[in-house]
């Protein structure tokens, strides 16, 4: 007589499964690596372009690539979320994890950790390129440390927010469009509305608020860089909560 051993889907096992899903498809880590190269590579190009000029780039200018890398991270997070339904694996996933929320948390941890590492290491490489090019950090390294951590938090917040939107929408194309529309198009659209009370809301949207973490020299916003980071984290948490509610109430 043979006996079947049933492994209970604990949160740790579900998270491990999400790491396997993320790493098995080579395009996922490759996209993250490209995002890292984008941050570091644009800094190298900027230092090279300024090498013949008398002015050196500032620390925040060295992180210009992070503003572009966020697009790759956001789209990847939306794809990572929506693939469960577009590929038809959602039924198997939630059959193994019927409580569902550990799957969402697992995906959030995977995207948040990888995006944070890409942002932090990319910013670190960008600042090192600046130091090699002549930018002086010796007097005060605290802004550099803030930018490195801030870049990681920024990309992690954008990734988790996009993941939540993807889980809510579920459709792959619609999820990508929803992420692009909410994070980048909406702030531009609101600025076109000639009504000051509405325009005051723009700095509290995810991208403008979180962007202060990598643009600490910006003095036009009422938020501090870390205040903007908290606003971004708040948006990310709200998206996860909304995704958890939708995930629990809708069929898979």
């Amino acid at each position: 007589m043979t006996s079947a051993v049933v492994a209970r889907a604990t949160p740790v096992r579900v998270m491990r499964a999400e790491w396997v899903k993320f790493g098995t498809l080579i395009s996922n880590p490759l996209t993250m690596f490209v995002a890292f190269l984008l941050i570091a590579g644009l800094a190298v190009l900027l230092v090279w372009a300024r090498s013949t000029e008398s002015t050196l780039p500032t620390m925040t200018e060295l992180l210009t690539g992070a503003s572009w890398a966020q697009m790759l991270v956001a789209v990847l997070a939306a794809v990572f979320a929506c693939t469960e339904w577009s590929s038809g694996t959602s039924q198997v996933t939630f059959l193994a994890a019927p409580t569902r929320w550990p799957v969402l948390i697992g995906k959030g941890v995977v995207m948040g950790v990888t995006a944070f590492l890409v942002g932090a290491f990319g910013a670190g490489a960008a600042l090192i390129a600046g130091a090699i090019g002549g930018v002086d950090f010796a007097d005060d390294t605290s802004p550099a440390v803030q930018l490195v951590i801030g870049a990681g938090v920024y990309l992690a917040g954008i990734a988790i927010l996009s993941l939540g939107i993807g889980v809510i929408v579920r459709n792959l194309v619609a999820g990508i469009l929803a992420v692009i529309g909410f994070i980048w198009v909406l702030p531009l659209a609101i600025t076109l509305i000639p009504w000051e009370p509405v325009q005051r809301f723009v700095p509290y949207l995810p991208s403008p608020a979180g962007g202060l973490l990598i643009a600490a020299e910006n003095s036009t916003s009422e938020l501090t860089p870390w205040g903007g980071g908290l606003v971004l984290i708040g948006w990310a948490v709200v998206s996860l909560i909304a995704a958890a509610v939708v995930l629990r109430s809708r069929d898979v």
Side-chain angles (χ1 to χ4, degrees):
M1 178 181 294
T2 60
S3 60
V5 178
V6 179
R8 189 165 61 91
T10 63
V12 174
R13 286 172 176 164
V14 171
M15 189 176 300
R16 187 183 305 162
E18 293 304 322
W19 278 108
V20 172
K21 289 179 186 177
F22 183 84
T24 300
L25 190 61
I26 190 62
S27 60
N28 292 337
L30 181 60
T31 301
M32 285 298 193
F33 182 65
V34 171
F36 165 81
L37 290 180
L38 192 58
I39 300 173
L42 285 181
V44 172
L45 288 176
L46 181 60
V47 171
W48 176 77
R50 295 282 184 89
S51 62
T52 57
E53 302 177 5
S54 58
T55 59
L56 293 173
T58 64
M59 285 188 286
T60 52
E61 286 177 336
L62 291 171
L63 298 187
T64 302
S67 299
W68 296 98
Q70 66 170 326
M71 297 184 182
L72 291 178
V73 172
V75 171
L76 177 59
V79 171
F80 186 53
C82 296
T83 300
E84 287 285 353
W85 289 271
S86 64
S87 64
T89 58
S90 60
Q91 295 182 0
V92 177
T93 297
F94 297 117
L95 181 63
T99 52
R100 301 186 184 182
W101 67 263
V103 176
L104 179 62
I105 297 301
K107 289 183 180 296
V109 170
V110 170
M111 288 307 309
V113 169
T114 53
F116 178 85
L117 292 177
V118 166
F121 280 103
L127 294 179
I128 290 173
I132 294 174
V135 180
D136 187 12
F137 304 141
D139 295 337
D140 187 7
T141 59
S142 58
V145 174
Q146 175 182 309
L147 288 173
V148 169
I149 298 175
V153 172
Y154 180 45
L155 292 191
I158 291 293
I160 295 173
L161 172 63
S162 303
L163 178 78
I165 295 174
V167 171
I168 294 171
V169 177
R170 296 191 177 187
N171 181 273
L172 186 59
V173 176
I176 294 174
L177 293 177
V179 165
I180 294 175
F182 183 71
I183 296 178
W184 293 289
V185 177
L186 181 60
L188 293 176
I190 292 180
T191 57
L192 298 177
I193 301 175
W195 191 28
E196 185 177 353
V198 175
Q199 293 184 356
R200 283 186 174 182
F201 183 65
V202 173
Y204 297 91
L205 291 174
S207 183
L212 295 175
L213 289 168
I214 55 174
E217 297 168 351
N218 189 333
S219 60
T220 61
S221 175
E222 298 177 355
L223 295 171
T224 64
W226 292 115
L230 288 176
V231 171
L232 174 60
I233 292 173
W235 280 106
V237 171
V238 169
S239 75
L240 280 186
I241 293 174
V245 172
V246 171
L247 194 61
R248 187 65 180 173
S249 60
R250 290 170 60 182
D251 293 334
V252 296

